[in-house]
Amino acid sequence: MTDTLIARPHARLPLPGPLPNRLQLTEDGQLRHMLTIEGLNRELMTEILDTAESFANMNEKAVKKVPLLRGKTIVNLFFEASTRTRTTFELAAKRLSADVLNVNISTSSAVKGESLLDTLRNIEAMNVDMFVVRHEESGAAHFIARHVMPGISVLNAGDGRHAHPTQALLDMFTIRRHKGDFTKLKVAIVGDILHSRVARSQIHALNILQTGEVRVVAPCSLLPADVDQLGVQVYNDLDEGLKDVDVIIMLRLQRERMEHAHLPSEHEYYQLFGLTARRLQLAHPTCLVMHPGPANRGVEIESAVADGPHSVILEQVTYGISVRMAVMSMVMGAHQA
Amino acid sequence: MSVLIENVRILDPVDGFDAIGELVVQGSEILARGQAPEGFEPRRRIDGSGLWAFPGLIDLAARLREPGQEHKATIASETLAAARGGITSLVVPPDTEPPVDSPAEIELINRRAHQACGVRVYVLGALTHQLEGQQLAEMAALMQAGARGVSNASKPLASLLVLRRALEYATTFGLTIVLSAQDPALTGSGCMHEGAVSTRLGLAGIPEAAETAALGAILALVEQTGARVHVARLSTRRGAEMIAKARAEGLPISADVAAHQLFLTEVDVAEFDPNCHVIPPLRGQRDRDGLRAAVARGEISAICSDHQPHEPDSKLGPFASTEPGISSLETLLPLTLRLVEDGLLSLHEALARVTTGPAEILDFAQGRLTPGARADFVLWDPAAMHEVRSEDWLSAGRNTPFFNWTFAGQTRETWVAGRPVWTRPAEDTV
């Protein structure tokens, strides 16, 4: 008697869950939702940036409005407080002539025990066309995109530590405007990589655009496991990490990092990882200084640098509107196609 | 009643018995294995041609959700799912609501189990009062009421001192202590394995050290106290190595692994599949291979389902806020036999990990087909293809990542104490 089971052909094991793009792209490769940068290709990224470029030109004119999304209803569904991101999304929607509804959930339904899906269904029932979602949990935008009615687009405005795709796109837009070609650039992302959705999206975006070198600079307690597998060079020393870089992206340090034993003090962090005018001299002379905001002056960045000639921090905010207009118009286009 | 099953391939992992012959059941016991006694006339004859008979499975960890969470599942619904899955004995962890920390809960569970389909249900008593990790539970009373061992389920203990005292006290009565190796502080708010995938998805990770640090403390206290400890649901290669070393040194320790840990990894979580949200988490490929190797060598001597049925709402949300667990009674046997197809185990070894292995850990008499043994067995149809489908799923929890997987073989009948408790419906074939 043999020990083998009766041999029969059986179906192959199913593939692991859907890749990010099965959810966010249509079959012909257009943006249906904007959930994550990961998995987008260079052509699509470039198309988004080119579209944003045309809106940027318009935004500099006296009449800043186009009727592209006239009659469409866009809901800003924010489960986490935000001023900058929400207002630029709102402005972007209004410049595309859409109607905008701002819903801040952190204080209303969530407290009453209403589930995320219930909230979604209720607003969906008002015949809306697009959700712009910010949520403190990673994967929230994916969850909503998976359960939303067909025809409604979901834009991720930040989910937990996972992704903040439009922030990364506006950063790429800013870099491209100043530097052009990415392939020769060295970019350093400095600070709390572990908790940063912005850093994750930036790393994917920079790699898709074939950036020469992407560095992350942080103490080991603020680096996620196996971070090098995202395609970055890891530095624990800021002076070394800044050497000859063309772009420095500083990340915000949250106060609660001290409470959870990631760091001893803001003081020591600033001594070791704060961007000062002295340290900036280690970078390339035409280096850009960026920050997704809001910056903690004297914690991660010196005021003289934040307001200095290398800083493009306010430009990032301005371009945020154009990039969000581009993404909004493209996802609505994909639905109408 | 007496029953004779003829022409059936009898597989008994207790001694490697493997022959086509007759299996004779008298009352609730096995009368003969291989050949019926001369002149024996059964009340009923069953043709077992093409079928296999092997001992019913003993599952060391199944949440039946009763009492307290009947909206997820009931003893009635889950024992039927177990029977379909070829499981004839279930061990229930004490984390019901209220927890099993007095004889009353054990009596309630026993009563409900007696009203259900017949699958045997055993209970682990609480190690500490209300599972709060502070004060010891009344273990002697729990044992007298029928608890097979004591456990704090997945709940933490206040300190290593409490663990030490609990081990000592349980040892007074010869009770086996079932522990999960999971340091609560290192686990934190983690919801998946800490590694490249958690980094990519931005989900809080549970490091390997959450298991190995806790295991190190457990091993030190087993050495100190001589307590008999069973470590439930290992998830790391390194943890399996620590168990193997401790066993080689003669410590009275054993371990099991959930079947899904031998097939899935962190990669299956992508993109945020809540059906792959389990604690301990699905880990890396190296861990999975290490666990498989430890199962093959017998260092991990039992495979369990770690069954955790949920109502649909529990799995509807962003990944971290969904409840962990897989509904897995109906996939334990197919997955275990898949290990034979994968060339990891012989058929007898695979069956041993779900019968004699767990029987040894909690001193069960069943898990064998020798004369005089309890007549708990499975009639298995090795030629039937079986696709895991939501339509014929019996558990009230439909939270499984294994829907649409296809397996060779299917349960035809499951018997407990000499009577069939589940028979495959005629149309239930692929």
Side-chain angles (χ1 to χ4, degrees), chain B residues 36-122:
Chain B
E38 206 148 322
F40 181 80
E41 267 311 313
R43 290 271 294 274
R44 189 182 156 206
R45 277 175 187 273
I46 295 173
D47 181 15
S49 302
L51 301 180
W52 298 354
F54 49 78
L57 274 58
I58 301 170
D59 184 359
L60 289 180
R63 263 79 171 186
L64 307 184
R65 304 301 192 196
E66 202 175 348
Q69 295 193 301
E70 291 84 354
H71 62 291
K72 291 187 186 292
T74 61
I75 289 173
S77 68
E78 300 318 283
T79 49
L80 199 61
R84 178 178 182 240
I87 301 166
T88 52
S89 298
L90 290 167
V91 180
V92 181
D95 54 354
T96 48
E97 290 174 11
V100 182
D101 76 343
S102 78
E105 287 84 32
I106 298 182
E107 283 158 21
L108 173 74
I109 292 170
N110 285 342
R111 203 162 53 241
R112 293 285 156 79
H114 284 134
Q115 294 159 353
C117 74
V119 165
R120 302 177 200 269
V121 176
Y122 299 89

Side-chain angles (χ1 to χ4, degrees), chain B residues 1-330:
Chain B
M1 184 164 112
S2 58
V3 179
L4 188 149
I5 303 164
E6 50 199 357
N7 298 320
V8 66
R9 179 181 176 189
I10 302 163
L11 295 154
D12 196 349
V14 78
D15 56 358
F17 185 89
D18 184 354
I20 293 177
E22 295 165 334
L23 185 67
V24 187
V25 177
Q26 176 87 59
S28 63
E29 292 180 355
I30 302 287
L31 179 70
R33 180 188 77 172
Q35 205 169 7
E38 206 148 322
F40 181 80
E41 267 311 313
R43 290 271 294 274
R44 189 182 156 206
R45 277 175 187 273
I46 295 173
D47 181 15
S49 302
L51 301 180
W52 298 354
F54 49 78
L57 274 58
I58 301 170
D59 184 359
L60 289 180
R63 263 79 171 186
L64 307 184
R65 304 301 192 196
E66 202 175 348
Q69 295 193 301
E70 291 84 354
H71 62 291
K72 291 187 186 292
T74 61
I75 289 173
S77 68
E78 300 318 283
T79 49
L80 199 61
R84 178 178 182 240
I87 301 166
T88 52
S89 298
L90 290 167
V91 180
V92 181
D95 54 354
T96 48
E97 290 174 11
V100 182
D101 76 343
S102 78
E105 287 84 32
I106 298 182
E107 283 158 21
L108 173 74
I109 292 170
N110 285 342
R111 203 162 53 241
R112 293 285 156 79
H114 284 134
Q115 294 159 353
C117 74
V119 165
R120 302 177 200 269
V121 176
Y122 299 89
V123 179
L124 295 178
L127 192 63
T128 60
H129 175 67
Q130 293 290 306
L131 299 176
E132 284 166 356
Q134 310 265 3
Q135 193 185 332
L136 299 188
E138 292 181 347
M139 296 181 212
L142 291 168
M143 188 176 76
Q144 278 159 17
R148 294 302 296 204
V150 282
S151 169
N152 223 49
S154 320
K155 300 282 196 310
L157 296 171
S159 70
L160 289 181
L161 181 65
V162 174
L163 178 57
R164 179 196 171 171
R165 298 295 184 226
L167 294 185
E168 287 171 341
Y169 190 71
T171 302
T172 314
F173 315 106
L175 278 166
T176 297
I177 304 102
V178 179
L179 298 173
S180 60
Q182 199 177 305
D183 182 87
L186 287 173
T187 301
S189 59
C191 60
M192 74 169 294
H193 174 60
E194 180 177 299
V197 180
S198 70
T199 290
R200 195 167 70 71
L201 297 178
L203 291 169
I206 302 174
E208 176 192 78
E211 178 164 299
T212 54
L215 198 49
I218 290 169
L219 291 175
L221 288 174
V222 167
E223 202 166 356
Q224 179 78 42
T225 61
R228 185 173 158 187
V229 167
H230 176 70
V231 179
R233 280 149 280 141
L234 284 179
S235 70
T236 66
R237 174 196 198 101
R238 186 80 196 96
E241 287 169 0
M242 290 167 76
I243 290 285
K245 185 160 167 282
R247 282 166 69 99
E249 287 168 1
L251 287 191
I253 197 153
S254 55
D256 68 51
V257 64
H260 53 252
Q261 290 284 1
L262 303 173
F263 291 88
L264 306 176
T265 66
E266 56 179 339
V267 172
D268 293 286
V269 170
E271 302 291 314
F272 303 104
D273 181 359
N275 282 327
C276 289
H277 181 193
V278 286
I279 303 289
L282 301 173
R283 295 196 180 271
Q285 178 95 37
R286 269 176 51 87
D287 292 301
R288 192 194 67 170
D289 294 348
L291 291 168
R292 281 183 159 224
V295 167
R297 289 191 295 259
E299 294 151 3
I300 293 175
S301 53
I303 302 171
C304 70
S305 72
D306 195 17
H307 177 65
Q308 297 183 43
H310 285 296
E311 81 284 18
D313 281 354
S314 289
K315 290 288 188 183
L316 269 180
F319 188 86
S321 62
T322 59
E323 289 190 50
I326 294 177
S327 174
S328 48
L329 290 171
E330 289 157 87

Side-chain angles (χ1 to χ4, degrees), chain A residues 252-288:
Chain A
R252 179 178 167 81
L253 186 79
Q254 309 276 359
R255 289 253 150 77
E256 69 229 40
R257 303 302 166 231
M258 267 54 78
E259 289 155 27
H260 292 104
H262 288 99
L263 292 173
S265 66
E266 288 181 357
H267 174 77
E268 181 154 310
Y269 182 77
Y270 186 63
Q271 294 302 310
L272 297 174
F273 295 96
L275 183 62
T276 58
R278 181 191 68 77
R279 285 201 163 111
L280 186 54
Q281 289 172 0
L282 297 164
H284 192 274
T286 63
C287 178
L288 300 180

Side-chain angles (χ1 to χ4, degrees), chain B residues 341-353:
Chain B
E341 275 183 88
D342 288 354
L344 187 74
L345 298 173
S346 72
L347 187 48
H348 275 102
E349 285 167 338
L351 290 172
R353 301 294 178 268

Side-chain angles (χ1 to χ4, degrees), chain A residues 1-3 5 8-10 13-14 17-18 20 38 116-117 137-139 143 146-147 161-162 200 224-226 229, chain B residues 9 18 52 194-196 199-203 270-272 316-318 320-321 337-338 340-341 346-347 383 385 405-406:
Chain A
M1 196 72 57
T2 64
D3 269 354
L5 303 182
R8 284 274 212 105
H10 55 78
L13 304 190
E38 190 186 1
L116 178 53
L117 205 55
E137 279 200 58
S138 300
F143 172 75
R146 210 168 265 145
H147 289 94
R161 308 175 186 179
H162 173 236
R200 283 174 176 77
D226 302 321
Q229 290 189 32
Chain B
R9 179 181 176 189
D18 184 354
W52 298 354
E194 180 177 299
T199 290
R200 195 167 70 71
L201 297 178
L203 291 169
E271 302 291 314
F272 303 104
L316 269 180
S321 62
L337 292 178
R338 177 63 73 79
V340 181
E341 275 183 88
S346 72
L347 187 48
M385 294 299 289
W405 282 45
T406 302

